[in-house]
Amino acid sequence: MFSAPRADLVANTAAYENEPLVKPTGFREYDARWLFGPEINLLGVQALGLGLGTYIHELGQSKIVVGHDFRSYSTSIKNALILGLISAGCEVHDIGLALSPTAYFAQFDLDIPCVAMVTASHNENGWTGVKMGAQKPLTFGPDEMSRLKDIVLNAKFVERNGGKLIRVAGEAQRYIDDVAKRASVTRPLKVIAACGNGTAGAFVVEALKKMGVAEVVPMDTDLDFTFPKYNPNPEDAEMLHAMAHAVHETEADLAFGFDGDGDRCGVVDDEGEEIFADKIGLMLARDLAPLHPGATFVVDVKSTGLYATDPILAAHGCKVIYWKTGHSYIKRKSAELGALAGFEKSGHFFMNGELGYGYDCGLTAAAAILAMLDRNPGLKLSDMRKALPVAFTSLTMSPHCDDEKKYGVVADVVKEYEDLFAAGGSILGRKITEVITVNGVRVHLEDGSWVLVRASSNKPEIVVVVESTQSEDDMRALFRQEVKPRLGDRVGKYNQEI
């Protein structure tokens, strides 16, 4: 029998070569992520595969799609995961190098219910992880992750005969051909495809061309797992600024930025303005509302408050639900409510029905934006941005906070804001009108401004976002005079600040 994983092993020892290392903190709310080496070893990944195979058998399944992103160690990690899955008696369909949405698409294309995508997404080098699901298009949530964690850490493995590996050829091309059908651009557009040297660089240029984009300008599309310029993360200012510079330099109509595993999309318009995904989502919702009256849209708690007050959505009877941040949460809620689309500020888009399969896919999001532009041939993307009501939304800012401490810190902040609200308190001279605690705490003020503090689901960090209806200076003040002092020395250094 496979031995129970340990959390105290260190590299360059005999024990490290013979026993599985799995730190418990790697089991996140809806996926798994570890630093490869100090937090999980290859035997630990094999234990994860054996545990996952055991679990999907509990769910009445045995077939699973597996793929991997472009990291120096991802192939080794995938092979270790596959070895564990085969030991559990699973039929593994390996699609090779892939984007996360390619693996999700393969579930539909191959009619296989389960998926395990080896990816660290946009995380820095050294990280690895697995995004998992057993019911297309959904991925695991807290209940599933809790059960998987219990199986793996307590060695509740069930080894079975009959496991096998099937190597699947051509899945990436079938994914590209399918996603390209989501748009058929007739107006001449010059579009930048920014990939930060991540996995998406191998796929997105061809897909955009197949969508009818007249000129695709590749930007850092050569695969390089050292990420020589910056991490492929279109939510970070560094990548967005580089995209904006490229728009000005090439006079492009817009720039798409794709994260490390291609399930997220960032956007910069023709004026070089960085448009966060929640605002892009609002543009899409406004454009889709007349075509789908009464539609439901799901957005995460980091997203702009403009959805709730938008007159176009209201005029067409559309409903907007604010829900927990996290791709699994928004994906699941969108499916549960039959929503036309879900939008997450970090760049996850979930398009349903004729627009997509319901999973998060950066290229599906790009197709939706291109189709919107094609339906409005007289408008630039900047025109659509300017047509939105004014709101000044911050970058997503993430101070370091250990995984073992972050939920306690957030719980304390939630209580502080709840007590302040109960006492009729205010922030920077504005009364608190609502405190939403579905995911951390989102504090609404009487003028429509708000602040958010929540725990990151996949890194040892706290997440902070603020939005002002007044001015950019006020937005900065909400962070610098309210949230940052409140968190104080309970958190470490911020990844970026306004």
Side-chain angles (χ1 to χ4, degrees):
M1 293 293 292
F2 207 84
S3 61
R6 293 172 53 181
D8 61 343
L9 299 178
V10 293
N12 203 26
T13 63
Y16 190 88
E17 295 299 308
N18 287 299
E19 298 181 63
L21 166 68
V22 181
K23 291 286 182 71
T25 51
F27 293 93
R28 312 285 171 158
E29 289 182 38
Y30 45 80
D31 58 22
R33 296 195 193 184
W34 290 271
L35 282 167
F36 179 48
E39 296 183 353
I40 194 167
N41 62 5
L42 288 174
L43 284 169
V45 177
Q46 188 177 336
L48 177 67
L50 180 54
L52 177 59
T54 299
Y55 182 40
I56 67 173
H57 273 284
E58 285 184 6
L59 299 174
Q61 308 295 342
S62 61
K63 296 182 179 181
I64 187 167
V65 172
V66 174
H68 71 280
D69 69 3
F70 191 75
R71 304 269 180 156
S72 62
Y73 40 80
S74 289
T75 300
S76 298
I77 288 170
K78 183 186 70 175
N79 288 339
L81 185 77
I82 288 173
L83 187 58
L85 288 165
I86 290 174
S87 298
C90 293
E91 180 179 293
V92 180
H93 294 251
D94 181 7
I95 63 172
L97 180 69
L99 302 176
S100 289
T102 311
Y104 303 152
F105 167 75
Q107 292 177 270
F108 288 86
D109 186 50
L110 303 174
D111 192 23
I112 292 174
C114 302
V115 66
M117 177 65 192
V118 172
T119 178
S121 186
H122 63 275
N123 281 27
E124 296 84 356
N125 272 311
W127 285 92
T128 190
V130 186
K131 293 180 177 178
M132 296 160 280
Q135 181 187 357
K136 58 190 178 189
L138 306 182
T139 39
F140 283 176
D143 291 343
E144 293 91 343
M145 290 304 300
S146 178
R147 177 57 183 153
L148 177 62
K149 180 179 181 179
D150 178 48
I151 292 170
V152 174
L153 296 185
N154 295 300
K156 297 179 179 179
F157 307 122
V158 178
E159 298 185 44
R160 292 177 169 89
N161 295 323
K164 66 177 179 179
L165 172 63
I166 299 171
R167 298 197 181 276
V168 180
E171 199 60 50
Q173 189 61 53
R174 290 192 290 277
Y175 159 72
I176 289 172
D177 292 343
D178 182 84
V179 76
K181 297 174 184 175
R182 307 289 174 188
S184 183
V185 182
T186 57
R187 61 188 285 189
L189 292 175
K190 179 189 282 190
V191 175
I192 293 169
C195 299
N197 301 111
T199 317
F203 308 104
V204 300
V205 172
E206 180 186 351
L208 293 173
K209 288 179 178 178
K210 280 180 172 286
M211 291 177 194
V213 176
E215 184 178 356
V216 179
V217 181
M219 178 179 169
D220 303 323
T221 55
D222 293 334
L223 301 188
D224 186 340
F225 47 62
T226 67
F227 304 146
K229 294 185 177 178
Y230 39 72
N231 280 356
N233 183 2
E235 196 178 15
D236 280 356
E238 193 170 8
M239 185 170 182
L240 287 168
H241 292 343
M243 290 161 60
H245 176 75
V247 166
H248 288 302
E249 192 172 55
T250 64
E251 298 183 340
D253 294 290
L254 71 156
F256 291 127
F258 301 94
D259 75 330
D261 65 333
D263 61 3
R264 292 193 295 133
C265 181
V267 182
V268 171
D269 70 17
D270 51 285
E271 293 185 349
E273 287 293 318
E274 303 145 8
I275 312 176
F276 292 119
D278 56 341
K279 302 281 181 66
I280 287 288
L282 181 54
M283 292 180 200
L284 287 170
R286 287 176 140 216
D287 184 63
L288 292 167
L291 304 175
H292 302 270
T296 296
F297 298 96
V298 178
V299 299
D300 79 314
V301 293
K302 287 163 57 180
S303 294
T304 178
L306 294 175
Y307 285 94
T309 57
D310 189 78
I312 295 176
L313 299 185
H316 291 91
C318 294
K319 185 178 181 181
V320 177
I321 304 296
Y322 283 89
W323 196 240
K324 299 177 182 179
T325 291
H327 63 85
S328 277
Y329 294 129
I330 303 296
K331 191 161 28 189
R332 192 173 295 259
K333 197 67 174 177
S334 297
E336 175 191 323
L337 299 176
L340 179 63
F343 307 117
E344 192 178 6
K345 187 173 184 287
S346 63
H348 291 277
F349 294 75
F350 310 86
M351 315 304 292
N352 288 296
E354 65 190 49
L355 304 175
Y357 291 100
Y359 53 73
D360 37 341
C361 173
L363 276 169
T364 300
I369 295 163
L370 291 171
M372 175 179 68
L373 286 169
D374 213 55
R375 284 191 293 268
N376 298 273
L379 296 177
K380 299 177 180 178
L381 192 57
S382 59
D383 296 326
M384 295 181 173
R385 168 178 55 82
K386 292 170 185 175
L388 294 179
V390 176
F392 302 88
T393 314
S394 74
L395 296 163
T396 299
M397 297 168 285
S398 300
H400 179 84
C401 190
D402 291 343
D403 284 317
E404 297 85 352
K405 298 178 181 178
K406 65 186 182 184
Y407 291 104
V409 170
V410 170
D412 290 343
V413 173
V414 169
K415 186 177 187 309
E416 289 170 18
Y417 278 124
E418 286 179 326
D419 291 347
L420 186 60
F421 177 45
S426 61
I427 291 175
L428 300 188
R430 283 155 284 179
K431 287 188 68 66
I432 298 173
T433 58
E434 185 180 19
V435 174
I436 299 174
T437 58
V438 68
N439 186 205
V441 61
R442 176 163 162 152
V443 184
H444 285 230
L445 308 181
E446 59 186 330
D447 67 342
S449 302
W450 53 269
V451 304
L452 170 77
V453 178
R454 56 176 289 272
S456 170
S457 301
N458 50 40
K459 293 182 77 175
E461 295 175 343
I462 302 291
V463 176
V464 175
V465 182
V466 300
E467 181 174 88
S468 170
T469 58
Q470 296 186 13
S471 67
E472 192 165 331
D473 285 343
D474 183 62
M475 179 259 286
R476 294 176 187 278
L478 286 170
F479 170 64
R480 294 186 177 279
Q481 298 178 33
E482 167 57 32
V483 182
K484 188 176 182 182
R486 183 174 294 279
L487 286 171
D489 59 8
R490 291 182 286 191
V491 299
K493 183 179 179 182
Y494 286 73
N495 67 330
Q496 57 187 358
E497 296 185 36
I498 52 172

